[in-house]
Amino acid sequence: MSHRPFIAIIALIFLLLPLVGQSDVTPYIPDAHTLHLWHLDEAGPPFTDAGLSPTPLLGLLNGAEAGLPSLPHLGSSISFDHDAGGRPGSPEFKGAILIASPQLHAGRRDNAPRSLRYFGHDGAFTYEALVKFDKLPDETKQSGFTILSMDDETNCRIFSLRLDRQSILTFAPLPDSGSQGGAVAHLPKDGDHAINTEDWFHVAIAYNGIENLSNNIQIYWTRVKPNTRRANRIGSGTLTSDFNGRLGDFAIGNEARQSDPKNAESQPFPGRIDEVRISSIARNPSDFIFIPAADRLPSSTVENAHTPFPGVDELPLFLANILVDGSPADFRHKAGEELTLEPGLHRLDFDFSYPTGPLNEAVQFRCQLEGIDERWIDSTRGMTILCQVRDDQNNIISEARFDAVGTSKGWGNSPGESELTARSEPLFIPPAGRHVYIAIESGSPDTTGTLIIDNLDISLPGKDPISLWQNGDFSRGIDLDLPQGIPNRWSRRGSDPTIAQVTSEGSKFALMLADGDQTHFATWACRQSFDPVIFGGRTVIISWDEAYNIIGGSLHRATYVNVPPGRYHFRAIGLSAGERPTTASLSLPINIRLPYWQRPWFPPAVTASCVALLAIYFIRAARRRARRRLRELAFQNALERDRTRIARDMHDDLGTRITVLNLSASLALRELDQNPESSRRHLGKLNQSARDLVVAMDDLVWAVDPAHDSLDQLASHLTRLSEEIFRDSPVRCRLDIPSILPARELGSDFRHQLSLAVKEALHNVLRHAGPCEVHLSLRYDGSRILIEIRDNGVGFESKSESSRHGLEYLSKRLHEIGGTCIINSIPDGGTQVVFDCPLQDRSNLTKP
């Protein structure tokens, strides 16, 4: 079997592999709007112009190399990653360039010919090219990289389309173009169109010819790949007017300013360029070179003119952003919805414009915050230098705003080519001022461009000016030689702080806002204190050097500071451009909540709370008095009970014993002479009664002595009591009483009743149980006392003889102290008596 067919298939696959993933771009056929089209397929000059007003390019200089690969079907390209000598990054560097003239000249001899048209009859134009990087911008030593320009050494500086090292793409009208403004955008760093060195990219600038209209320039950056049918827009900008038609040095891949001491040909593009086209209209995103011919949407079918919505006389304005104290508010404006903020003084920034659509600009906007402003004020655009004077509580007591929009007098084609111009403004410092806060702000998110500030100072004028500002030349800080450096005392803020950068020229440093992103903003901010004795209540001068090229977006900004709590209404009105004027309006209710002490409910609530607190105080005082009175009554009641008990005991026990003593003594005296034997018996009985009286007195004294009002004293007493009762008796007593008990406080009545109950139970054993053994045990568990008296004597029928043995007396005593008495007895089986006595808190019975 032959392997030739298989080998042929493999070879065909390898031949087709280089085409896999490549774009399906085909050579572009000029249409009626193509002014110039250079395919750049020739091996050397002249490079043919296929447009309506042919202008061949004649000068391929400083090492520029033609005939290099391009996209399939597009022939070849030109590489500008070469030079003819000089130090990279310096003005003497001679980078590769392609121009309309055969040679560069320090004058008008190398200007573009009069036949070179670069806009349409209404001023509209589109500039586009295909580019491929050999190295990324931040990997080179140059500060800028020009794709397309018309710029010479004298007074014929028209426009420039260029990149800088931060991958910011800029289209700038130059001083002699008759226009101002431009467009700035960051190249994507991620996603489908992220900048890289592997792919070809399409770059385009389209201006619709409507003068002084925000967003009249669109800027595109698109990775060329199969099935791409629409350009990727990365930003927009504004030209204040059409170009005036003057001509300068037209160049591709660099700037043709041969004798310029700052720039010359020092900005070559670090890669290849192909298919450069200039059109007389603003082409729509589906009508560019890289889109296959069959899928292109002719620009003539798309409205390029600015026309109002038909039949509409008034439109709502679009509120894009609300900043509260410099931070975006989490609020999406809908009709009728209210913006609610927390109490305090607030700074409010409102960014607003027309909705997205053909009608996207107002000739003039005016706004008012009802409740703060008594008059309507004009909105602001561009970047801002904000200066605030604040008091000890950081409240703003004075503010001045200095706007920057358009192009400053000394602005060149880039920051390195620009000259800073001095600017001074008056600033009043109130007597209460203690701090000055300065913020260099990039404005609304869709504002783009560059602002450079140096030599900032705030001084008291006079023969020897006194300065209150420190480090205004930004010469001290961290990593100042890098864009991300931070001068001392300054800080970055905003949704994208990388917009705030440090720029340097030799050993000279300055602050810069390089904003190419239309969705973010940034701020340089600094706060410094000053001596109020020197500066308070006086007018000072704030001065700085500045250079800027700032393109105001479609968003307008209204700013209000120190807005106090209350209800307000923000309103904005505008008038559209176009053949049919159209008005627009915006209304937003705002509620800054009052502090709780200023709200309507607060005084009644405080009053009610005070009344309630007073009522609670008096009620609790009355309750305390009542409790104290109850304790006094309880104490008196307990005292009366003790007195009554003592009196009863003395009457019942001691009185009886004394009567017995008296009777025994009388009988003994009467029979002393007549019957001595009987007299001796009476004297013996007298002696025993006297001893019993002493014991009874001891019991009574023990019962009323406060020193014995504790559990351990009760246990000791029961021990002595049992020993005395069963001394010289046939009953053996065994004790089970803990040797160590807590000194738990007991009431005198409690221990007296309990001790008498135990004594009675023991006497019952002695009198009725006969010779036996008795066990006395005491248990304490923290909340109750459990006493058990158990004998093995004769016993009895508990139901029939309980009253005979005085058992009701025991239950009565235990009931008086809140306890219970349980008696179990079996004839000939012994008797068990259990006293269960819960302990109560006796503190309420103590005297206050």
Side-chain angles (χ1 to χ4, degrees):
M1 178 178 178
S2 175
H3 295 285
R4 289 182 179 179
F6 179 75
I7 295 174
I9 293 174
I10 296 297
L12 180 61
I13 292 175
F14 276 100
L15 289 174
L16 293 177
L17 276 177
L19 302 179
V20 175
Q22 295 290 347
S23 172
D24 47 4
V25 175
T26 58
Y28 194 88
I29 300 174
D31 57 20
H33 306 293
T34 302
L35 296 175
H36 306 281
L37 174 59
W38 294 282
H39 295 295
L40 305 180
D41 292 337
E42 293 82 0
F47 293 93
T48 305
D49 180 356
L52 296 178
S53 54
T55 302
L57 302 179
L58 306 177
L60 189 66
L61 309 173
N62 296 345
E65 185 177 354
L68 295 180
S70 182
L71 285 167
H73 313 301
L74 293 186
S76 60
S77 63
I78 296 178
S79 171
F80 295 90
D81 191 19
H82 304 277
D83 63 86
R87 181 168 55 89
S90 64
E92 71 269 13
F93 185 62
K94 305 295 183 182
I97 189 170
L98 174 61
I99 60 174
S101 176
Q103 294 293 330
L104 288 166
H105 297 281
R108 297 191 177 185
R109 286 179 295 170
D110 55 353
N111 281 11
R114 295 183 178 274
S115 61
L116 182 66
R117 295 170 51 195
Y118 54 100
F119 53 84
H121 67 278
D122 59 353
F125 59 78
T126 299
Y127 303 153
E128 59 183 309
L130 295 176
V131 298
K132 184 178 186 298
F133 292 99
D134 291 340
K135 60 176 75 71
L136 295 179
D138 60 357
E139 298 173 351
T140 65
K141 296 183 178 181
Q142 284 81 256
S143 61
F145 319 95
T146 303
I147 300 173
L148 195 67
S149 70
M150 186 177 292
D151 186 9
D152 71 7
E153 307 87 350
T154 55
N155 57 352
C156 294
R157 306 190 62 197
I158 311 302
F159 68 82
S160 174
L161 175 61
R162 63 191 293 276
L163 281 166
D164 64 16
R165 293 192 64 187
Q166 287 75 41
S167 297
I168 296 178
L169 183 63
T170 302
F171 176 75
L174 300 180
D176 303 311
S177 65
S179 183
Q180 291 184 338
V184 180
H186 279 285
L187 297 187
K189 296 181 180 179
D190 49 35
D192 288 342
H193 305 283
I195 180 174
N196 62 67
T197 58
E198 304 297 328
D199 300 301
W200 280 85
F201 293 88
H202 175 264
V203 57
I205 296 291
Y207 166 61
N208 63 14
I210 304 175
E211 298 178 323
N212 201 30
L213 175 70
S214 287
N215 299 333
N216 55 17
I217 295 179
Q218 305 301 319
I219 186 166
Y220 300 91
W221 178 266
T222 311
R223 182 165 70 97
V224 180
K225 59 181 180 178
N227 302 319
T228 301
R229 299 297 181 265
R230 187 177 179 85
N232 174 56
R233 191 176 74 91
I234 60 172
S236 60
T238 302
L239 281 186
T240 60
S241 61
D242 298 340
F243 286 154
N244 55 21
R246 296 179 67 174
L247 295 173
D249 295 345
F250 179 75
I252 296 174
N254 205 335
E255 290 188 340
R257 301 171 63 187
Q258 194 209 22
S259 64
D260 189 283
K262 292 185 178 180
N263 195 28
E265 308 102 66
S266 62
Q267 297 187 357
F269 183 80
R272 285 171 273 174
I273 299 178
D274 195 12
E275 301 294 325
V276 179
R277 180 172 67 168
I278 298 177
S279 302
S280 60
I281 59 171
R283 294 191 180 270
N284 70 70
S286 296
D287 189 21
F288 285 126
I289 289 174
F290 68 92
I291 298 173
D295 298 316
R296 291 173 189 151
L297 180 63
S299 297
S300 58
T301 64
V302 179
E303 290 188 6
N304 287 305
H306 177 74
T307 58
F309 293 114
V312 177
D313 295 322
E314 183 170 356
L315 290 173
L317 290 175
F318 169 61
L319 187 58
N321 302 293
I322 303 175
L323 302 183
V324 180
D325 301 324
S327 300
D330 186 14
F331 179 78
R332 296 293 180 268
H333 179 223
K334 295 181 181 178
E337 287 193 8
E338 181 181 76
L339 173 63
T340 303
L341 302 176
E342 293 301 315
L345 296 175
H346 294 289
R347 170 183 169 174
L348 304 179
D349 295 277
F350 302 94
D351 294 334
F352 57 92
S353 183
Y354 280 105
T356 302
L359 188 63
N360 61 3
E361 171 62 11
V363 172
Q364 188 177 26
F365 280 124
R366 289 185 176 178
C367 46
Q368 180 187 42
L369 187 61
E370 291 183 1
I372 295 293
D373 289 332
E374 295 182 357
R375 60 186 180 86
W376 292 78
I377 61 174
D378 293 335
S379 60
T380 60
R381 296 170 67 193
M383 299 185 183
T384 301
I385 299 174
L386 173 68
C387 186
Q388 297 175 341
V389 181
R390 301 184 178 185
D391 61 14
D392 277 336
Q393 286 73 43
N394 205 35
N395 297 319
I396 302 170
I397 57 177
S398 177
E399 179 179 277
R401 301 175 62 88
F402 311 108
D403 297 330
V405 66
T407 304
S408 64
K409 182 178 180 181
W411 183 258
N413 195 23
S414 66
E417 302 175 49
S418 302
E419 294 182 0
L420 276 65
T421 57
R423 182 174 177 180
S424 299
E425 300 284 352
L427 176 68
F428 178 71
I429 298 183
R434 296 295 182 272
H435 315 279
V436 173
Y437 171 85
I438 290 183
I440 306 171
E441 303 174 336
S442 65
S444 61
D446 69 340
T447 298
T448 56
T450 302
L451 170 64
I452 303 172
I453 298 294
D454 196 6
N455 297 325
L456 178 66
D457 193 17
I458 300 177
S459 60
L460 191 65
K463 182 178 180 181
D464 297 316
I466 303 174
S467 176
L468 68 80
W469 200 256
Q470 301 179 34
N471 198 23
D473 58 0
F474 317 110
S475 59
R476 298 177 298 278
I478 302 173
D479 296 330
L480 296 181
D481 55 336
L482 301 175
Q484 62 269 25
I486 303 178
N488 289 346
R489 300 176 178 268
W490 289 84
S491 62
R492 293 181 175 89
R493 301 177 183 175
S495 60
D496 183 6
T498 60
I499 293 172
Q501 302 177 12
V502 175
T503 183
S504 61
E505 186 73 27
S507 60
K508 186 70 173 173
F509 302 98
L511 297 185
M512 179 171 68
L513 295 175
D515 190 354
D517 192 321
Q518 296 189 324
T519 59
H520 294 285
F521 62 92
T523 298
W524 275 115
C526 183
R527 172 183 163 178
Q528 294 188 21
S529 303
F530 60 85
D531 187 348
V533 176
I534 299 176
F535 297 96
R538 307 185 69 174
T539 299
V540 298
I541 296 176
I542 176 173
S543 60
W544 66 92
D545 295 341
E546 64 182 10
Y548 56 83
N549 179 37
I550 300 172
I551 301 99
S554 62
L555 295 178
H556 289 240
R557 172 165 288 188
T559 300
Y560 303 91
V561 297
N562 282 352
V563 181
R567 289 189 173 273
Y568 307 97
H569 223 102
F570 174 69
R571 301 185 187 277
I573 57 176
L575 178 68
S576 71
E579 296 180 358
R580 179 180 176 180
T582 304
T583 60
S585 62
L586 168 67
S587 176
L588 172 65
I590 301 170
N591 177 21
I592 302 179
R593 293 174 178 169
L594 292 168
Y596 64 87
W597 60 85
Q598 295 180 3
R599 298 179 188 177
W601 56 263
F602 184 76
V606 170
T607 303
S609 299
C610 292
V611 171
L613 290 174
L614 287 174
I616 292 172
Y617 171 77
F618 286 118
I619 291 172
R620 295 188 67 177
R623 287 181 176 178
R624 284 195 300 270
R625 289 194 299 270
R627 286 195 295 268
R628 184 167 61 250
R629 181 59 180 163
L630 287 175
R631 287 197 298 268
E632 292 174 352
L633 292 175
F635 176 78
Q636 292 175 3
N637 187 35
L639 185 60
E640 290 297 328
R641 287 200 307 271
D642 285 343
R643 288 174 177 175
T644 301
R645 175 177 55 77
I646 293 170
R648 185 180 66 243
D649 291 344
M650 293 180 68
H651 177 271
D652 294 345
D653 192 5
L654 299 182
T656 301
R657 295 180 187 279
I658 292 172
T659 300
V660 172
L661 284 174
N662 187 30
L663 180 60
S664 298
S666 297
L667 291 174
L669 288 174
R670 189 181 62 182
E671 297 182 1
L672 181 62
D673 295 329
Q674 299 178 4
N675 191 353
E677 184 65 27
S678 176
S679 178
R680 281 194 297 272
R681 288 196 305 271
H682 287 302
L683 289 174
K685 187 175 181 180
L686 177 64
N687 181 51
Q688 182 62 39
S689 297
R691 287 197 301 269
D692 293 340
L693 179 61
V694 171
V695 172
M697 284 296 296
D698 287 342
D699 289 343
L700 182 60
V701 171
W702 178 86
V704 299
D705 189 354
H708 299 142
D709 288 347
S710 62
L711 177 59
D712 56 342
Q713 290 294 326
L714 175 62
S716 299
H717 177 70
L718 295 181
T719 301
R720 291 193 303 271
L721 183 65
S722 60
E723 291 175 350
E724 291 176 359
I725 290 175
F726 296 114
R727 181 183 299 136
D728 302 328
S729 73
V731 177
R732 297 183 60 189
C733 181
R734 297 186 180 277
L735 301 177
D736 185 11
I737 298 176
S739 58
I740 299 177
L741 285 169
R744 170 69 185 267
E745 182 181 359
L746 302 175
S748 60
D749 183 59
F750 178 89
R751 60 185 177 83
H752 178 67
Q753 296 291 355
L754 183 57
S755 64
L756 289 180
V758 173
K759 181 178 180 181
E760 179 65 24
L762 295 177
H763 274 295
N764 284 339
V765 173
L766 182 63
R767 288 195 297 266
H768 303 295
C772 65
E773 185 176 277
V774 62
H775 291 265
L776 172 62
S777 65
L778 185 146
R779 296 287 183 271
Y780 169 69
D781 64 359
S783 62
R784 62 200 317 112
I785 296 174
L786 196 68
I787 297 177
E788 181 185 10
I789 302 171
R790 175 170 45 86
D791 67 72
N792 56 1
V794 297
F796 60 89
E797 288 288 345
S798 57
K799 291 184 178 180
S800 61
E801 301 194 22
S802 60
S803 61
R804 199 187 92 186
H805 295 287
L807 302 183
E808 291 182 353
Y809 172 77
L810 296 179
S811 297
K812 182 179 178 182
R813 284 194 179 276
L814 267 294
H815 179 72
E816 289 183 3
I817 61 175
T820 59
C821 174
I822 302 173
I823 302 174
N824 295 309
S825 184
I826 303 174
D828 299 325
T831 303
Q832 180 190 37
V833 180
V834 179
F835 299 139
D836 187 357
C837 307
L839 296 178
Q840 299 178 355
D841 186 7
R842 311 296 292 179
S843 62
N844 61 336
L845 299 180
T846 60
K847 188 174 182 178

